[in-house]
Amino acid sequence: MAGEAGPARWRWVALLGAVSVLLLVGVLAGGGSGLATFPGGRLRTDEDADGPTVVAGAVPDPESVVSQVHMSIRNSTARRNLGGYLSCGTGNPIDDCWRCDPDWHNNRQRLADCGIGFGRNAIGGRDGKIYVVTDSGDDDPVTPKKGTLRYAVIQDEPLWIIFKRDMVITLKQELIMNSFKTIDGRGANVHIANGACLTIQYVTNVIIHGLHIHDCRPTGNAMVRSSPSHYGWRTMADGDAVSIFGSSHVWVDHCSLSNCADGLVDAIMGSTAITVSNNYFTHHNEVMLLGHSDSYLKDKAMQVTIAFNHFGEGLIQRMPRCRHGYFHVVNNDYTHWEMYAIGGSAEPTINSQGNRYLAPTNPFAKEVTKRVETAQTTWNGWNWRSEGDLLLNGAFFTPSGAGASASYSRASSLGAKSSSMVGTITSGAGVLSCHKGSSC
Protein backbone atom coordinates (compact mmCIF):
# COMPACT_ATOMS: atom_id res chain seq x y z
CA MET A 1 0.00 0.00 0.00
CA ALA A 2 1.06 3.59 -0.66
CA GLY A 3 -0.05 6.87 0.93
CA GLU A 4 -1.12 7.64 4.47
CA ALA A 5 -4.41 8.32 6.22
CA GLY A 6 -4.50 8.24 10.00
CA PRO A 7 -6.49 5.35 11.49
CA ALA A 8 -8.49 7.72 13.66
CA ARG A 9 -9.64 9.58 10.55
CA TRP A 10 -11.02 6.56 8.76
CA ARG A 11 -12.66 5.27 11.93
CA TRP A 12 -14.63 8.52 12.06
CA VAL A 13 -15.57 8.10 8.38
CA ALA A 14 -16.67 4.54 8.99
CA LEU A 15 -18.73 5.69 11.99
CA LEU A 16 -20.45 8.35 9.91
CA GLY A 17 -21.14 5.77 7.23
CA ALA A 18 -22.65 3.42 9.77
CA VAL A 19 -24.89 6.22 11.04
CA SER A 20 -25.97 6.87 7.45
CA VAL A 21 -26.79 3.20 6.91
CA LEU A 22 -29.02 3.22 9.99
CA LEU A 23 -30.75 6.46 9.08
CA LEU A 24 -34.53 6.27 9.08
CA VAL A 25 -35.84 8.56 6.40
CA GLY A 26 -39.08 10.31 5.48
CA VAL A 27 -41.49 10.70 2.66
CA LEU A 28 -40.39 11.07 -0.95
CA ALA A 29 -41.92 14.44 -1.80
CA GLY A 30 -44.30 14.38 -4.73
CA GLY A 31 -43.11 10.95 -5.80
CA GLY A 32 -46.34 9.05 -5.52
CA SER A 33 -44.44 6.45 -3.52
CA GLY A 34 -46.98 5.87 -0.77
CA LEU A 35 -44.44 6.60 1.97
CA ALA A 36 -45.26 8.28 5.25
CA THR A 37 -43.17 9.26 8.24
CA PHE A 38 -43.15 8.78 11.97
CA PRO A 39 -42.64 11.89 14.12
CA GLY A 40 -39.13 13.17 13.55
CA GLY A 41 -39.03 12.12 9.89
CA ARG A 42 -38.52 8.40 10.39
CA LEU A 43 -39.53 6.32 7.37
CA ARG A 44 -42.72 4.32 7.61
CA THR A 45 -43.87 1.74 5.05
CA ASP A 46 -46.63 -0.84 5.06
CA GLU A 47 -44.13 -3.24 6.61
CA ASP A 48 -44.29 -1.22 9.84
CA ALA A 49 -47.25 -3.26 10.99
CA ASP A 50 -44.58 -5.70 12.12
CA GLY A 51 -42.14 -3.09 13.40
CA PRO A 52 -40.09 -0.18 12.07
CA THR A 53 -38.32 -0.43 8.74
CA VAL A 54 -34.71 0.64 8.37
CA VAL A 55 -33.83 2.16 5.01
CA ALA A 56 -30.31 3.28 4.17
CA GLY A 57 -29.44 6.60 2.62
CA ALA A 58 -32.67 7.89 1.05
CA VAL A 59 -33.35 11.60 1.42
CA PRO A 60 -36.69 12.76 2.86
CA ASP A 61 -37.14 15.38 0.13
CA PRO A 62 -35.73 14.78 -3.35
CA GLU A 63 -36.25 18.48 -4.06
CA SER A 64 -33.35 19.24 -1.73
CA VAL A 65 -31.16 17.32 -4.18
CA VAL A 66 -32.63 19.36 -7.01
CA SER A 67 -31.59 22.60 -5.38
CA GLN A 68 -28.06 21.47 -4.62
CA VAL A 69 -27.30 20.22 -8.10
CA HIS A 70 -29.08 23.03 -9.91
CA MET A 71 -26.79 25.38 -8.03
CA SER A 72 -23.73 23.38 -9.09
CA ILE A 73 -24.77 23.59 -12.72
CA ARG A 74 -25.57 27.31 -12.61
CA ASN A 75 -22.32 28.10 -10.90
CA SER A 76 -20.32 25.47 -12.73
CA THR A 77 -16.94 27.07 -12.20
CA ALA A 78 -17.15 26.19 -8.50
CA ARG A 79 -17.40 22.50 -9.37
CA ARG A 80 -15.16 22.56 -12.45
CA ASN A 81 -12.15 24.24 -10.88
CA LEU A 82 -9.54 21.74 -9.74
CA GLY A 83 -6.84 23.78 -8.09
CA GLY A 84 -6.88 26.35 -10.87
CA TYR A 85 -7.51 24.08 -13.85
CA LEU A 86 -10.46 25.34 -15.85
CA SER A 87 -13.21 23.16 -17.17
CA CYS A 88 -13.05 21.52 -20.57
CA GLY A 89 -16.55 22.89 -20.99
CA THR A 90 -18.40 19.74 -22.04
CA GLY A 91 -21.48 20.66 -20.03
CA ASN A 92 -21.14 17.38 -18.14
CA PRO A 93 -20.77 18.50 -14.50
CA ILE A 94 -19.06 15.27 -13.39
CA ASP A 95 -16.40 15.35 -16.10
CA ASP A 96 -15.94 19.09 -15.88
CA CYS A 97 -15.07 18.60 -12.22
CA TRP A 98 -11.91 16.52 -12.80
CA ARG A 99 -11.06 15.57 -16.41
CA CYS A 100 -9.14 18.71 -17.33
CA ASP A 101 -6.54 18.24 -14.61
CA PRO A 102 -3.35 16.86 -16.24
CA ASP A 103 -2.20 15.84 -12.77
CA TRP A 104 -5.29 13.66 -12.21
CA HIS A 105 -3.15 10.62 -11.39
CA ASN A 106 -1.79 12.41 -8.33
CA ASN A 107 -5.25 13.71 -7.41
CA ARG A 108 -7.28 10.54 -7.94
CA GLN A 109 -9.34 10.82 -4.80
CA ARG A 110 -10.75 14.18 -5.86
CA LEU A 111 -13.08 12.20 -8.10
CA ALA A 112 -15.14 11.36 -5.01
CA ASP A 113 -16.12 15.03 -4.72
CA CYS A 114 -17.52 15.14 -8.28
CA GLY A 115 -20.64 13.02 -7.88
CA ILE A 116 -24.14 14.24 -8.67
CA GLY A 117 -27.67 13.14 -8.01
CA PHE A 118 -28.81 10.67 -5.41
CA GLY A 119 -25.43 8.94 -5.19
CA ARG A 120 -23.53 12.20 -4.82
CA ASN A 121 -22.43 11.44 -1.25
CA ALA A 122 -20.72 8.16 -2.13
CA ILE A 123 -17.13 8.81 -1.09
CA GLY A 124 -15.76 5.33 -1.66
CA GLY A 125 -12.18 5.10 -0.41
CA ARG A 126 -11.55 8.84 -0.56
CA ASP A 127 -10.27 9.06 3.00
CA GLY A 128 -8.12 5.94 2.93
CA LYS A 129 -4.85 4.77 1.45
CA ILE A 130 -4.22 3.97 -2.20
CA TYR A 131 -3.92 0.24 -2.86
CA VAL A 132 -2.24 -0.91 -6.07
CA VAL A 133 -3.44 -4.17 -7.62
CA THR A 134 -0.39 -6.00 -8.99
CA ASP A 135 -1.81 -9.51 -9.52
CA SER A 136 -4.68 -10.28 -11.93
CA GLY A 137 -5.26 -13.72 -10.41
CA ASP A 138 -8.15 -15.00 -8.33
CA ASP A 139 -6.92 -18.40 -7.25
CA ASP A 140 -8.63 -18.64 -3.86
CA PRO A 141 -11.85 -16.70 -3.07
CA VAL A 142 -11.54 -17.68 0.60
CA THR A 143 -7.88 -16.78 1.12
CA PRO A 144 -7.07 -14.18 -1.54
CA LYS A 145 -3.44 -13.26 -2.15
CA LYS A 146 -2.09 -9.83 -1.35
CA GLY A 147 -1.89 -7.75 -4.49
CA THR A 148 -5.13 -9.10 -5.97
CA LEU A 149 -8.32 -7.15 -6.47
CA ARG A 150 -10.22 -9.52 -4.18
CA TYR A 151 -7.75 -8.97 -1.34
CA ALA A 152 -8.22 -5.21 -1.66
CA VAL A 153 -12.01 -5.02 -1.77
CA ILE A 154 -12.62 -7.16 1.33
CA GLN A 155 -10.49 -5.08 3.69
CA ASP A 156 -12.21 -3.25 6.54
CA GLU A 157 -10.49 0.12 6.11
CA PRO A 158 -11.24 2.62 3.33
CA LEU A 159 -9.13 2.00 0.21
CA TRP A 160 -8.79 3.68 -3.18
CA ILE A 161 -7.90 0.76 -5.44
CA ILE A 162 -5.91 1.28 -8.65
CA PHE A 163 -4.05 -1.00 -11.08
CA LYS A 164 -0.33 -1.27 -11.80
CA ARG A 165 -0.85 -2.29 -15.44
CA ASP A 166 -3.45 -3.46 -17.98
CA MET A 167 -5.27 -6.56 -16.74
CA VAL A 168 -7.97 -9.07 -17.59
CA ILE A 169 -9.37 -10.38 -14.30
CA THR A 170 -11.46 -13.54 -14.46
CA LEU A 171 -13.12 -14.02 -11.10
CA LYS A 172 -13.86 -17.53 -9.86
CA GLN A 173 -16.65 -16.29 -7.58
CA GLU A 174 -18.50 -13.04 -6.91
CA LEU A 175 -16.27 -10.14 -5.91
CA ILE A 176 -17.96 -9.25 -2.62
CA MET A 177 -17.07 -5.69 -1.71
CA ASN A 178 -16.66 -4.15 1.72
CA SER A 179 -17.71 -0.57 2.56
CA PHE A 180 -15.70 2.55 1.70
CA LYS A 181 -13.99 1.23 -1.41
CA THR A 182 -13.26 2.77 -4.80
CA ILE A 183 -12.17 0.65 -7.76
CA ASP A 184 -10.50 3.13 -10.12
CA GLY A 185 -9.39 1.79 -13.49
CA ARG A 186 -8.01 5.07 -14.84
CA GLY A 187 -4.56 4.79 -16.37
CA ALA A 188 -4.88 1.07 -17.14
CA ASN A 189 -7.05 -1.06 -19.42
CA VAL A 190 -8.86 -3.26 -16.90
CA HIS A 191 -11.39 -5.92 -17.87
CA ILE A 192 -13.43 -7.97 -15.43
CA ALA A 193 -14.68 -10.65 -17.75
CA ASN A 194 -15.57 -14.28 -18.44
CA GLY A 195 -16.39 -15.21 -14.87
CA ALA A 196 -18.09 -13.78 -11.82
CA CYS A 197 -18.42 -10.02 -11.39
CA LEU A 198 -19.17 -7.40 -8.71
CA THR A 199 -21.48 -7.77 -5.72
CA ILE A 200 -22.22 -4.78 -3.47
CA GLN A 201 -24.24 -6.32 -0.65
CA TYR A 202 -25.25 -4.75 2.67
CA VAL A 203 -22.47 -2.15 2.48
CA THR A 204 -22.18 1.57 1.92
CA ASN A 205 -19.98 4.08 0.08
CA VAL A 206 -18.73 2.29 -3.02
CA ILE A 207 -17.46 3.88 -6.25
CA ILE A 208 -16.84 1.83 -9.39
CA HIS A 209 -15.03 3.81 -12.09
CA GLY A 210 -13.30 3.09 -15.35
CA LEU A 211 -13.77 -0.67 -15.74
CA HIS A 212 -14.71 -2.87 -18.68
CA ILE A 213 -17.17 -5.39 -17.22
CA HIS A 214 -18.48 -8.00 -19.62
CA ASP A 215 -19.33 -11.65 -20.22
CA CYS A 216 -20.22 -12.18 -16.56
CA ARG A 217 -21.47 -15.67 -15.78
CA PRO A 218 -23.45 -17.32 -12.97
CA THR A 219 -21.23 -18.68 -10.21
CA GLY A 220 -21.76 -19.88 -6.67
CA ASN A 221 -22.30 -22.92 -4.49
CA ALA A 222 -18.95 -22.09 -2.99
CA MET A 223 -17.28 -20.43 -0.04
CA VAL A 224 -16.33 -16.76 -0.59
CA ARG A 225 -14.67 -14.26 1.74
CA SER A 226 -16.40 -10.90 2.28
CA SER A 227 -14.10 -9.38 4.94
CA PRO A 228 -10.87 -10.28 6.73
CA SER A 229 -12.91 -11.88 9.50
CA HIS A 230 -15.73 -13.55 7.58
CA TYR A 231 -16.32 -15.96 4.76
CA GLY A 232 -19.42 -17.97 4.01
CA TRP A 233 -21.36 -20.13 1.60
CA ARG A 234 -22.70 -18.39 -1.49
CA THR A 235 -25.60 -19.82 -3.43
CA MET A 236 -25.77 -19.33 -7.19
CA ALA A 237 -25.41 -15.73 -8.39
CA ASP A 238 -27.31 -14.55 -11.45
CA GLY A 239 -24.36 -13.25 -13.44
CA ASP A 240 -24.93 -9.50 -13.13
CA ALA A 241 -22.10 -7.13 -14.04
CA VAL A 242 -22.83 -5.01 -10.95
CA SER A 243 -25.26 -6.33 -8.35
CA ILE A 244 -26.35 -3.84 -5.66
CA PHE A 245 -28.20 -5.55 -2.81
CA GLY A 246 -29.38 -3.77 0.33
CA SER A 247 -26.70 -1.09 -0.08
CA SER A 248 -26.51 2.69 -0.14
CA HIS A 249 -24.31 5.51 -1.46
CA VAL A 250 -23.16 3.73 -4.60
CA TRP A 251 -21.79 5.41 -7.73
CA VAL A 252 -21.05 3.56 -10.99
CA ASP A 253 -19.29 5.91 -13.42
CA HIS A 254 -17.49 5.68 -16.77
CA CYS A 255 -17.68 1.91 -17.13
CA SER A 256 -18.29 -0.08 -20.31
CA LEU A 257 -20.72 -2.93 -19.67
CA SER A 258 -22.00 -5.64 -21.99
CA ASN A 259 -23.09 -9.21 -22.61
CA CYS A 260 -23.72 -10.64 -19.15
CA ALA A 261 -25.93 -13.53 -18.10
CA ASP A 262 -28.45 -11.40 -16.22
CA GLY A 263 -28.37 -7.62 -15.67
CA LEU A 264 -25.68 -5.05 -16.27
CA VAL A 265 -26.58 -2.94 -13.22
CA ASP A 266 -29.22 -4.34 -10.86
CA ALA A 267 -30.21 -2.68 -7.58
CA ILE A 268 -32.64 -4.45 -5.26
CA MET A 269 -33.63 -5.18 -1.65
CA GLY A 270 -33.79 -1.67 -0.23
CA SER A 271 -30.79 -0.23 -2.04
CA THR A 272 -30.85 3.55 -2.43
CA ALA A 273 -28.73 6.70 -2.89
CA ILE A 274 -27.38 5.47 -6.23
CA THR A 275 -26.00 7.27 -9.29
CA VAL A 276 -25.31 5.48 -12.57
CA SER A 277 -23.49 7.91 -14.86
CA ASN A 278 -21.31 8.19 -17.95
CA ASN A 279 -21.50 4.48 -18.74
CA TYR A 280 -21.66 2.79 -22.14
CA PHE A 281 -24.11 -0.11 -22.28
CA THR A 282 -24.10 -2.47 -25.28
CA HIS A 283 -25.09 -5.97 -26.46
CA HIS A 284 -27.44 -7.04 -23.73
CA ASN A 285 -31.07 -7.98 -23.16
CA GLU A 286 -32.24 -6.91 -19.68
CA VAL A 287 -29.96 -3.96 -19.00
CA MET A 288 -30.94 -2.52 -15.61
CA LEU A 289 -33.37 -3.72 -12.93
CA LEU A 290 -34.16 -1.29 -10.12
CA GLY A 291 -36.42 -2.85 -7.49
CA HIS A 292 -36.69 -6.41 -6.20
CA SER A 293 -40.37 -7.26 -6.67
CA ASP A 294 -43.78 -5.62 -6.72
CA SER A 295 -44.38 -6.84 -3.15
CA TYR A 296 -41.06 -5.71 -1.65
CA LEU A 297 -42.14 -2.44 -0.07
CA LYS A 298 -38.77 -1.31 1.28
CA ASP A 299 -37.88 -0.41 -2.33
CA LYS A 300 -40.29 2.52 -1.99
CA ALA A 301 -37.27 4.35 -0.58
CA MET A 302 -35.10 3.56 -3.61
CA GLN A 303 -33.72 6.74 -5.21
CA VAL A 304 -31.57 6.48 -8.35
CA THR A 305 -30.10 9.01 -10.76
CA ILE A 306 -29.33 7.76 -14.26
CA ALA A 307 -27.33 10.46 -16.05
CA PHE A 308 -25.12 11.00 -19.12
CA ASN A 309 -25.08 7.33 -20.17
CA HIS A 310 -25.08 5.98 -23.72
CA PHE A 311 -27.46 3.08 -24.26
CA GLY A 312 -25.98 1.69 -27.45
CA GLU A 313 -25.97 -1.11 -29.96
CA GLY A 314 -27.46 -4.51 -29.28
CA LEU A 315 -29.71 -3.53 -26.36
CA ILE A 316 -33.26 -4.85 -26.03
CA GLN A 317 -35.04 -3.61 -22.87
CA ARG A 318 -34.87 -2.39 -19.23
CA MET A 319 -32.98 0.90 -19.48
CA PRO A 320 -34.11 0.82 -16.65
CA ARG A 321 -37.03 -1.31 -15.44
CA CYS A 322 -38.21 0.22 -12.14
CA ARG A 323 -40.33 -0.66 -9.13
CA HIS A 324 -41.73 1.50 -6.31
CA GLY A 325 -38.97 4.10 -6.06
CA TYR A 326 -38.00 7.48 -7.41
CA PHE A 327 -35.94 7.51 -10.64
CA HIS A 328 -34.45 10.46 -12.44
CA VAL A 329 -33.36 9.72 -16.01
CA VAL A 330 -31.48 12.73 -17.34
CA ASN A 331 -29.39 13.62 -20.40
CA ASN A 332 -28.87 10.05 -21.60
CA ASP A 333 -28.47 9.01 -25.23
CA TYR A 334 -30.73 6.12 -26.24
CA THR A 335 -29.64 5.01 -29.69
CA HIS A 336 -30.84 1.40 -29.57
CA TRP A 337 -33.65 -0.65 -28.09
CA GLU A 338 -35.73 -3.50 -29.51
CA MET A 339 -38.67 -3.72 -27.07
CA TYR A 340 -38.76 -0.56 -24.94
CA ALA A 341 -36.38 1.79 -23.13
CA ILE A 342 -37.97 2.57 -19.73
CA GLY A 343 -40.38 0.25 -17.97
CA GLY A 344 -41.88 -0.24 -14.57
CA SER A 345 -44.45 -1.70 -12.23
CA ALA A 346 -45.65 -1.10 -8.66
CA GLU A 347 -46.07 2.68 -9.06
CA PRO A 348 -42.54 4.00 -9.53
CA THR A 349 -41.97 7.73 -10.08
CA ILE A 350 -40.06 8.31 -13.32
CA ASN A 351 -38.79 11.73 -14.37
CA SER A 352 -37.29 11.75 -17.85
CA GLN A 353 -35.51 15.00 -18.67
CA GLY A 354 -33.41 16.09 -21.61
CA ASN A 355 -32.79 12.62 -23.03
CA ARG A 356 -32.42 11.73 -26.70
CA TYR A 357 -34.57 8.76 -27.70
CA LEU A 358 -33.98 7.29 -31.17
CA ALA A 359 -36.66 4.70 -31.87
CA PRO A 360 -35.90 1.49 -33.79
CA THR A 361 -37.25 0.93 -37.28
CA ASN A 362 -39.75 -1.66 -35.98
CA PRO A 363 -43.12 0.16 -36.10
CA PHE A 364 -44.31 -1.78 -33.05
CA ALA A 365 -41.39 -0.73 -30.82
CA LYS A 366 -41.56 3.07 -31.06
CA GLU A 367 -42.79 3.62 -27.52
CA VAL A 368 -40.11 4.59 -25.02
CA THR A 369 -42.19 3.47 -22.04
CA LYS A 370 -43.76 0.21 -20.88
CA ARG A 371 -46.00 -0.39 -17.89
CA VAL A 372 -45.30 -4.02 -17.07
CA GLU A 373 -48.32 -6.29 -16.55
CA THR A 374 -50.51 -3.45 -15.24
CA ALA A 375 -53.93 -2.26 -16.36
CA GLN A 376 -54.20 1.28 -17.68
CA THR A 377 -56.80 2.08 -15.05
CA THR A 378 -54.04 1.46 -12.50
CA TRP A 379 -51.06 3.08 -14.17
CA ASN A 380 -52.99 6.20 -15.13
CA GLY A 381 -52.19 7.45 -11.63
CA TRP A 382 -48.45 6.73 -11.75
CA ASN A 383 -46.20 9.77 -11.94
CA TRP A 384 -44.25 9.39 -15.22
CA ARG A 385 -43.00 12.65 -16.72
CA SER A 386 -41.15 13.57 -19.92
CA GLU A 387 -39.66 17.05 -20.02
CA GLY A 388 -37.44 18.37 -22.81
CA ASP A 389 -36.77 14.93 -24.28
CA LEU A 390 -35.80 14.69 -27.96
CA LEU A 391 -37.96 12.00 -29.57
CA LEU A 392 -36.64 10.81 -32.93
CA ASN A 393 -37.74 8.36 -35.65
CA GLY A 394 -41.27 8.16 -34.26
CA ALA A 395 -40.32 7.61 -30.64
CA PHE A 396 -43.01 8.55 -28.13
CA PHE A 397 -43.20 8.70 -24.35
CA THR A 398 -46.54 8.02 -22.66
CA PRO A 399 -46.83 10.21 -19.53
CA SER A 400 -49.21 9.52 -16.69
CA GLY A 401 -50.36 10.83 -13.34
CA ALA A 402 -48.87 14.15 -12.36
CA GLY A 403 -46.48 13.72 -15.28
CA ALA A 404 -49.36 14.24 -17.67
CA SER A 405 -50.40 17.49 -16.02
CA ALA A 406 -49.16 20.94 -17.01
CA SER A 407 -49.24 21.89 -13.33
CA TYR A 408 -46.76 19.16 -12.40
CA SER A 409 -44.06 20.48 -10.07
CA ARG A 410 -40.74 19.25 -11.38
CA ALA A 411 -39.24 16.64 -9.08
CA SER A 412 -35.79 15.46 -10.07
CA SER A 413 -32.30 14.92 -8.78
CA LEU A 414 -30.42 17.03 -11.32
CA GLY A 415 -31.11 20.00 -13.57
CA ALA A 416 -31.21 18.75 -17.16
CA LYS A 417 -29.22 20.26 -19.98
CA SER A 418 -31.01 20.72 -23.27
CA SER A 419 -31.46 17.45 -25.16
CA SER A 420 -29.61 19.11 -28.06
CA MET A 421 -26.46 18.87 -25.92
CA VAL A 422 -26.78 15.14 -25.21
CA GLY A 423 -24.31 14.17 -27.94
CA THR A 424 -21.61 16.35 -26.39
CA ILE A 425 -22.42 15.42 -22.82
CA THR A 426 -22.30 11.66 -23.50
CA SER A 427 -19.43 11.68 -26.02
CA GLY A 428 -17.08 10.32 -23.36
CA ALA A 429 -19.46 7.65 -22.04
CA GLY A 430 -17.75 4.42 -21.08
CA VAL A 431 -14.14 3.83 -20.11
CA LEU A 432 -11.89 6.81 -20.79
CA SER A 433 -8.35 6.68 -22.14
CA CYS A 434 -6.35 8.38 -19.39
CA HIS A 435 -2.59 8.85 -19.44
CA LYS A 436 -0.37 10.34 -16.77
CA GLY A 437 0.62 13.93 -17.46
CA SER A 438 -2.34 14.78 -19.68
CA SER A 439 -6.03 15.34 -19.15
CA CYS A 440 -8.36 12.38 -19.67
Side-chain angles (χ1 to χ4, degrees):
M1 295 185 186
E4 293 296 332
R9 183 183 185 191
W10 74 255
R11 287 192 192 103
W12 276 110
V13 174
L15 176 61
L16 290 172
V19 171
S20 175
V21 169
L22 294 174
L23 182 65
L24 295 168
V25 299
V27 61
L28 299 182
S33 62
L35 293 180
T37 56
F38 292 108
R42 197 158 63 81
L43 175 69
R44 181 186 182 99
T45 74
D46 294 344
E47 295 174 354
D48 280 299
D50 298 318
T53 298
V54 177
V55 177
V59 297
D61 178 12
E63 293 296 338
S64 66
V65 184
V66 178
S67 299
Q68 292 172 23
V69 187
H70 281 186
M71 183 179 298
S72 73
I73 292 174
R74 288 193 300 266
N75 189 18
S76 59
T77 56
R79 291 288 302 271
R80 296 175 185 178
N81 192 326
L82 289 175
Y85 294 103
L86 296 179
S87 165
C88 299
T90 65
N92 180 322
I94 297 172
D95 288 357
D96 289 347
C97 178
W98 70 270
R99 280 185 64 183
C100 295
D101 182 3
D103 204 30
W104 62 267
H105 57 287
N106 290 321
N107 299 315
R108 286 179 177 272
Q109 286 155 301
R110 288 185 179 177
L111 175 68
D113 299 322
C114 296
I116 55 90
F118 290 118
R120 70 201 179 282
N121 291 325
I123 64 171
R126 183 192 67 189
D127 297 328
K129 298 177 181 179
I130 289 185
Y131 187 99
V132 182
V133 175
T134 58
D135 185 343
S136 63
D138 188 41
D139 294 335
D140 189 346
V142 175
T143 312
K145 292 167 55 178
K146 289 185 178 180
T148 63
L149 178 60
R150 188 179 298 277
Y151 181 87
V153 302
I154 66 169
Q155 299 306 310
D156 287 330
E157 70 267 29
L159 291 175
W160 195 280
I161 302 162
I162 66 173
F163 299 85
K164 185 176 182 179
R165 61 181 182 276
D166 297 351
M167 294 184 182
V168 177
I169 299 174
T170 299
L171 298 166
K172 288 188 174 181
Q173 300 294 335
E174 296 168 90
L175 190 75
I176 304 176
M177 299 192 62
N178 209 336
S179 294
F180 295 97
K181 299 294 180 293
T182 298
I183 304 179
D184 178 1
R186 288 176 295 176
N189 186 16
V190 180
H191 291 248
I192 297 178
N194 304 310
C197 288
L198 278 61
T199 296
I200 302 168
Q201 180 171 321
Y202 296 131
V203 295
T204 186
N205 283 280
V206 172
I207 299 173
I208 308 297
H209 182 97
L211 301 179
H212 298 269
I213 309 175
H214 57 92
D215 297 287
C216 303
R217 298 292 173 254
T219 57
N221 292 333
M223 304 296 284
V224 182
R225 185 169 294 278
S226 58
S227 75
S229 60
H230 179 266
Y231 66 89
W233 182 259
R234 301 292 294 183
T235 58
M236 289 298 295
D238 293 333
D240 297 330
V242 180
S243 175
I244 306 169
F245 189 106
S247 296
S248 64
H249 302 297
V250 177
W251 181 21
V252 181
D253 186 54
H254 273 298
C255 292
S256 296
L257 307 103
S258 66
N259 196 37
C260 292
D262 193 36
L264 294 182
V265 177
D266 282 7
I268 61 171
M269 302 298 289
S271 297
T272 194
I274 298 166
T275 293
V276 180
S277 58
N278 293 309
N279 301 289
Y280 185 31
F281 298 96
T282 60
H283 300 106
H284 196 78
N285 179 7
E286 297 175 336
V287 177
M288 193 182 309
L289 173 66
L290 304 176
H292 176 63
S293 69
D294 288 3
S295 61
Y296 191 77
L297 301 182
K298 190 181 287 189
D299 281 336
K300 288 184 177 183
M302 182 176 288
Q303 297 171 339
V304 182
T305 299
I306 300 167
F308 318 139
N309 302 284
H310 182 187
F311 294 92
E313 62 270 18
L315 300 181
I316 297 176
Q317 60 178 321
R318 295 191 176 182
M319 301 171 238
R321 189 261 197 250
C322 309
R323 290 183 171 105
H324 292 299
Y326 187 106
F327 307 96
H328 186 212
V329 183
V330 56
N331 288 151
N332 301 279
D333 198 6
Y334 289 82
T335 57
H336 296 77
W337 72 80
E338 292 187 20
M339 293 176 63
Y340 66 88
I342 299 174
S345 61
E347 199 177 358
T349 294
I350 295 175
N351 293 299
S352 173
Q353 292 184 308
N355 301 284
R356 181 165 64 180
Y357 295 108
L358 176 64
T361 57
N362 180 355
F364 302 105
K366 301 290 188 183
E367 186 173 3
V368 171
T369 50
K370 179 179 175 65
R371 278 76 171 177
V372 180
E373 297 179 353
T374 307
Q376 184 172 350
T377 53
T378 298
W379 64 251
N380 270 340
W382 297 357
N383 187 350
W384 289 28
R385 166 83 169 182
S386 171
E387 181 180 16
D389 292 324
L390 184 60
L391 300 162
L392 303 174
N393 197 34
F396 65 99
F397 185 110
T398 303
S400 59
S405 170
S407 63
Y408 173 76
S409 176
R410 182 169 66 186
S412 65
S413 65
L414 178 67
K417 295 286 186 179
S418 166
S419 58
S420 63
M421 295 180 63
V422 165
T424 300
I425 293 170
T426 62
S427 61
V431 175
L432 297 166
S433 179
C434 297
H435 303 281
K436 292 180 180 180
S438 62
S439 56
C440 283

